[in-house]
DNA sequence: ACGGCGCTTGCAAACGATTACATCTCGGGC
DNA sequence: GCCCGAGATGTAATCGTTTGCAAGCGCCGT
């Protein structure tokens, strides 16, 4: 009888019922032995443990999720997964989430190519049955986008944020970052300090511009989009200005823009920091190894990811967490010096 | 009666049963209307569609997964999530998987810090109830590591691979890549061509070294680990050699190593490609914007990710897919030239 | 000796979808 | 007029786990 049944299921994965049969207890007991060992007797606990080994049992995640009304996953929604900037942040998140028993799901808010894709991509994940929580890293999403789903899972913003929306944030104090940069350049003796911006509508751009204005009055800026390319274009603009009036120092609102600027200037035969000081933002790895290592403002990306994860877990746990504002740090390398 | 029930559930998310009640049909019909519209009558289809809108119904993923014995997710296991190299690959995977209705789960094979973590981290995902398939990007995993789970889900290797293991692969023809690099340098007139390697045990390192040896006899190499740092160290070694005997051209087995080499050489006042030609591998974005743009071998990362995903989906679908070998491409920029 | 309390354990009802099978209806061929 | 099959829908079992409730058991205090 029993043999026949065992026979039948021999190839199928073991279920709780199989473990229960082998251990000589009920399924409820096995379940408890596994999820709350304290409530079963030591003898039973051992018997179950042996049976689990014997059967090679592994819990069926879908069944547990269904019963508990959770998914065991958290989704990180990034504006562009292909952007290497997010790698370290995701790594921090993944570590913290896995440690807490959650899986990390990633999603792109931008469907490849499609401009209206943001909304579509969002719908996929704003679904309480797909993830227990969302970490949103895209500040371009609007509050309206988020309103489409009534029962949407808990949400925290990381890195970027949405002005006016009442959503917990884990972000760098971006204004303090550029302020730090400006003060550094000022103290070196620079008086004409320019900047290379990001997209006008981007919250990071706005915060970083505000930081500069705390220290400088009406600093001249070059438009940009955080990319290497836009940094190089800013350099061409800068090169075309008369040396007596153009900025002697540049604050890039991203390391890429700063590096792009620096590279283009160097290709034109000028020197950094001899002819112009350059400072970046974010402290991504590779800019430390440029021919002229880039001075920059550090954003603790791994910590930010980790913190975003723990903040979301708090929120899932029912607390309303406070915003977390991380402090930027000046990393002084070779691309900044006193003006000649 | 009904009102009372509706009242009770008004805050809870709508289930299939709610839609059925509103539409005036059975749950089975609703289920069919949603998953296989062709089999229900047009009238019913419309009624169900209306009821879905009215109730705000969204399918419970866990319930479907449990019933169907699938998870709807695919996990990508990378050796180090924090390494930006994987960003574009993951983006390609995500796009292909989402389009096919799967979620992309990411995992780190390396638990932060822990050396024995590889095995532990693997166990979490080698679980048929957590993911329907696995894309493994870590060649350091051994066949033994994978053997721990009998019922493990379908697996494909991407980027890296495990020698001797019979697992479908989606990889670049790495040897062809370095061969391309060597031929390029040779045709420029270089005769002493050296290289900066990766970790000895790494399959990519071995394949890339093999590619060089197809064209060169016993080329001199500097040890490395693909990092910027190791490239800079190789440069110091190179600088200490007598100019008459040291290589006139260097093939970095990664763009980082090549860029690190180039930067250090430049900081010592020598010029690239004047004093030494340098070529990288992978074509990561930023090396195109260095003061001297880096010549490199392109690895189509996004395509590789996409292909890995579709290959895995085939495997999940029951076919045994053939290995996919992608072709590298030389991207000629400013860091290579004829020797003086 | 007895009532009651606490510790273990089992029974069975959920969780919300899919799907094999049964049922019903309608229309056409003979 | 009758039968058969195709098409549409309903009924109910099922996926594997968790968990509220109740029951069994032994021990202690009085």
């Amino acid at each position: 009888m029993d043999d026949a049944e065992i026979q039948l299921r021999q190839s199928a994965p073991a279920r709780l019922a199989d473990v229960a049969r082998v251990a000589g207890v009920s399924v409820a007991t096995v379940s408890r032995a596994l999820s709350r060992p304290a409530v079963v007797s030591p003898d039973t606990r051992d018997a179950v443990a042996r049976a689990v080994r014997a059967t090679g049992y592994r819990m069926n995640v879908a069944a547990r999720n269904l019963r508990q009304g959770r998914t065991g996953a958290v989704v990180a929604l990034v504006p562009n997964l292909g952007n290497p900037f997010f790698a370290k942040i995701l790594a921090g998140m993944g570590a913290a989430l896995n440690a807490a028993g959650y899986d990390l799901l990633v999603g792109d808010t931008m469907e490849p190519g499609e401009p209206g894709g943001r909304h579509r991509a969002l719908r996929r994940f704003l679904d309480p049955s797909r993830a227990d929580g969302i970490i949103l890293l895209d500040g371009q999403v609007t509050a309206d986008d988020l309103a489409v789903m009534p029962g949407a899972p808990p949400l925290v913003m990381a890195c970027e944020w949405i002005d006016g929306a009442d959503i917990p944030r884990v972000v760098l104090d971006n204004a303090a970052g550029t302020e730090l940069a400006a003060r550094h350049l000022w103290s070196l003796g620079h008086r004409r300090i320019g900047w290379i911006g990001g997209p006008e509508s981007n919250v990071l751009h706005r915060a970083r511009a505000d930081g500069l204005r705390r220290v400088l009055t009406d600093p001249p800026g070059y438009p940009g989009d955080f990319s290497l390319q836009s940094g190089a274009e800013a350099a061409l603009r800068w090169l075309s200005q008369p040396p007596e009036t153009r900025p002697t120092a540049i604050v890039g609102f991203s390391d890429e823009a700063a590096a792009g600027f620096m590279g283009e200037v160097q290709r034109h035969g000028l020197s950094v920091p001899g002819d112009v000081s350059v400072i970046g933002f974010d402290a991504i790895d590779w800019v430390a190894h440029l021919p002229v290592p880039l001075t920059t403002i550090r954003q603790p990306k791994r910590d930010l990811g980790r913190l975003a994860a723990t903040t979301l877990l708090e929120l899932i746990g029912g607390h309303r967490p406070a915003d977390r504002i991380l402090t930027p740090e000046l990393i002084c390398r070779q691309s900044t010096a006193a003006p000649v």
Side-chain angles (χ1 to χ4, degrees), chain A residues 6-21:
Chain A
I6 290 172
Q7 198 77 0
L8 269 175
R9 295 194 55 88
Q10 75 182 356
S11 58
R15 301 161 307 163
L16 265 191
D18 300 317
V19 179
R21 187 156 21 75

Side-chain angles (χ1 to χ4, degrees), chain A residues 255-320:
Chain A
D255 278 344
E256 277 95 343
F261 182 95
M262 185 162 71
E264 192 67 26
V265 163
Q266 290 167 328
R267 278 191 291 278
H268 279 77
L270 298 193
S271 116
V272 174
D275 295 301
V276 58
S277 283
V278 178
I279 183 167
F281 204 110
D282 285 344
I284 60 182
D285 288 341
W286 57 270
V287 294
H289 292 265
L290 291 173
V292 175
L294 186 71
T295 295
T296 190
I297 302 296
R298 192 172 105 86
Q299 168 155 219
K301 294 178 281 301
R302 207 163 219 121
D303 291 343
L304 199 147
R306 216 191 320 268
L307 254 181
T310 55
T311 301
L312 179 60
L313 293 178
E314 277 179 48
L315 193 58
I316 291 175
H319 310 298
R320 160 70 209 225

Side-chain angles (χ1 to χ4, degrees), chain A residues 141-144 146 155 157 161-169 320 323:
Chain A
V141 170
T142 66
D144 285 351
L146 296 174
L155 177 71
M157 301 259 359
W161 62 94
I162 302 174
D163 274 324
D166 184 33
I167 303 172
R169 300 175 184 173
R320 160 70 209 225
D323 289 355

